[in-house]
Amino acid sequence: QVQLVESGGGLVQAGGSLRLSCAASGRTFGIYRMGWFRQAPGKEREFVAAIRWSGASTYYSDSVKGRFTISRDNAKNTVYLQMNSLKSEDTAVYSCAAGIKSYRTDWGSEGYDYWGQGTQVTVSS
């Protein structure tokens, strides 16, 4: 199995920046994609961004496109989410996920098999 641990969350002012990290361990050789999701209180879990474990393909939700950047460091088994121009509506628990099936979607929860516990991001205005 795969274990995922997120870090880097915290409190930031609107317009500021924050970088999240997701460290993967265990049977990481089987990972095909990794993604970031977020969930605010009273709202559904929302797709944020995804990246293939190899190659250059990345995917973003419309709400974060142009502000957030997903990247990876395969040598460290780590995926990052650089968040710029943060807004109050970005406040949520951000979770990292890993998917092992190449034919499943990059865009939704059904494309992922393993999940981290999440890290809180709070944007103040």
Side-chain angles (χ1 to χ4, degrees):
Q1 60 181 356
V2 176
Q3 295 81 43
L4 304 172
V5 179
E6 303 96 336
S7 62
L11 176 65
V12 64
Q13 291 185 339
S17 298
L18 204 62
R19 188 174 81 155
L20 306 182
S21 298
C22 174
S25 61
R27 301 176 69 86
T28 58
F29 64 87
I31 296 175
Y32 183 74
R33 66 176 64 82
M34 297 192 71
W36 288 96
F37 294 79
R38 66 187 183 186
Q39 187 169 25
K43 297 184 179 179
E44 299 287 338
R45 184 165 60 190
E46 175 189 17
F47 170 79
V48 176
I51 190 169
R52 299 288 173 85
W53 197 237
S54 62
S57 297
T58 58
Y59 308 90
Y60 298 93
S61 68
D62 290 339
S63 62
V64 308
K65 191 176 299 182
R67 300 188 298 120
F68 291 10
T69 303
I70 188 170
S71 61
R72 57 172 163 79
D73 185 339
N74 294 84
K76 297 181 179 180
N77 286 334
T78 300
V79 172
Y80 305 95
L81 185 68
Q82 178 66 47
M83 304 183 292
N84 299 326
S85 301
L86 283 162
K87 307 173 182 179
S88 60
E89 52 262 45
D90 295 318
T91 295
V93 174
Y94 284 71
S95 298
C96 179
I100 63 174
K101 300 295 185 182
S102 63
Y103 52 84
R104 291 180 179 170
T105 181
D106 295 293
W107 294 87
S109 298
E110 62 269 25
Y112 299 87
D113 305 282
Y114 303 97
W115 296 81
Q117 294 300 308
T119 184
Q120 177 71 47
V121 172
T122 302
V123 183
S124 64
S125 59

